[in-house]
Amino acid sequence: MIKRCIYLFGSGVLLPCMVFVQICSCSLKSLPAIEPSFFTQSLLELHRQLCPAEKYPHLMILQLSNQDLAHAVLPQIISEPTYTKTVSILPVFLTKETKVHSCCIYIVDSIEDFDTVSWFEENVKIIYLYPESMFDVVQYEPNVTITQALRKGYHIVYDLDHTLQIYRWNRYSHQRTTIDPHNITVPDEMRDLHGYKIAMYTLEEISQVMTFDAYFLEQIANKRNATVMQTDEYSDDRTDVIPLVSVRNMIYPWIVPSFGTTFIAVVVPRVKPKPIVSILIDPFDLYVWITYLVLVLTMAISISLFGKLLGRRHFMEIVLELIMMCLAGPSRAYGGTFENRIITLFCLMSIALVSSYQSLIISFMSYVRYGPEINTLEEIYEHCLFQNDSDAQFFNFKTFPNGSNPGTNAACRIVPARDNEQQTIIMASNTVVDKHAYAAEHHIRYRIENFRFAKTKFIEYPLCWLVKMHLRELFLFYTQAVFESGIYEYYYNNKSQPAWQYKHRTFVNQVVMMKDLLLLWYAYVVGMVVSMLSFAAETVVHDKAIKNTVNK
């Protein structure tokens, strides 16, 4: 066996065209007399209609027949400048994309030459060229795998009397059709699917909510004479369409982008109303309180150094006196030019400060206030704890040990979502296994009242479908039609759905109870106990000091 390799160069670079010609000294078959120009013209015209250059820019030619036929046909095919070409005796350089989306020409003269056809997916466009003497052998091939592979392509059968016949097996009508080689027109087999059953795999809890998926398939079936079947039992042989919940780590080239969106959502706890005692701190922010404390300390130091009457007191007594001036006015005598001026200004400022403080407290008591929500990525990293699983590790979130309970105020979850939060919640409620008649509604109510989606989303993409390759172009056409028409949005906007919504309470419409002021009562009791202990300690220390003075 001799192999001769020819490399074609153009413009100083290697073109993607490699020719491997196999010469077999034992071949004794006589070559039929075929007019190369007509043969090539018919072949190229069929290829042009079957594989448009904008979709299939590259042509793979598998030369498995005798050498004379290759010499008669290949030069004219290779010289055609529209496509780039690879000519070989084997399907070389088969990338994943080439296996599922490419165009090939098989030039054969033996049934064994079809062994490599099964390497390609069903969406690959294939043209078979073989002599008429092989026609019966090809049609009645006992090997089911090769038979199914042969039905993928178009058969060009040549005869000794300069005639060509072009055949095609229609997988939907289960019939063989003939194409006139003098007036080649590739039929659109997708116009009539002859009752073909399009099977879509989807979980029942999803199909009950996302009803547009079934409506979309019904419209395709009505237009193309097909039937539709939805099932939650997956079968690789019978399943044609699968809507993807998430496209993370999906690198398949046959994914069809569709209507709607999918994303990874973070479920965070809702903020609870602040306790009523928080109104004592909330009127001023932290910087105002720090500024006021610094002012009091500065005045206390100044009075202790330069004061005439109040300056004689202990430093802590001066601090307490300044705080009392702010709340109820002076309680101790003060005098001197310095003390009079500085304390007068401080009392004026205290009047303005206390007035604004009281008015803010009154307004805060009239409506319900909530803490800050968890929305941004930084807030999720700072406040959320996740279960230690692959999703949390993928996003590098803080986790809590499995089996422990961090509490509802910190526990967050990562869930796949579709379109919006409401539809995702309803889909999740359909998975609740409970004999109670209202278990799903209770789940939805509890979920909405206690949790929500953070505004930060991850891996947000249009909804994608895994579609069998022979239906891919059909779905691309109709999904584009849905995009342009806006049917998807119109369908759900005009569909009656339960109004599951959560609204923050705005105004306080309840009586202040004893438990609401419990913290204040605790503070009052603790303050009274500390005051009594301080008074007792002062009394004991004072009595001892008097006794020591008398003894001396």
Side-chain angles (χ1 to χ4, degrees), residues 6 16 30 50 56 60 76 88 97 135 181 214 236 245 249 257 363 382 405 471 479 508 535 539 542 545:
I6 304 174
S30 60
L50 185 63
Y56 301 89
M60 178 176 289
Q76 298 185 49
S88 175
E97 185 173 0
F135 182 74
D236 187 57
V245 179
N249 299 328
S363 63
E382 182 178 357
N405 184 14
L471 296 173
T479 53
V508 177
F535 178 75
T539 302
H542 183 68

Side-chain angles (χ1 to χ4, degrees), residues 173-225:
S173 65
H174 303 287
Q175 294 178 351
R176 188 176 68 221
T177 59
T178 303
I179 300 175
D180 185 1
H182 298 278
N183 184 21
I184 296 177
T185 301
V186 176
D188 186 2
E189 297 175 354
M190 306 305 297
R191 286 187 175 275
D192 188 353
L193 299 183
H194 297 277
Y196 179 82
K197 183 179 291 185
I198 303 176
M200 181 177 72
Y201 169 77
T202 180
L203 299 177
E204 184 178 359
E205 56 267 20
I206 297 178
S207 62
Q208 292 177 354
V209 181
M210 310 306 297
T211 55
F212 186 83
D213 298 346
Y215 171 78
F216 174 69
L217 290 182
E218 288 289 346
Q219 294 303 310
I220 295 179
N222 293 336
K223 295 291 184 180
R224 300 302 175 101
N225 187 23

Side-chain angles (χ1 to χ4, degrees), residues 95-102 120-121 123-124 253-254 469:
T95 62
K96 182 178 293 186
E97 185 173 0
T98 305
K99 291 180 180 179
V100 299
H101 188 76
S102 61
F120 297 93
E121 297 291 339
N123 193 54
V124 173
W254 54 85
M469 298 306 298

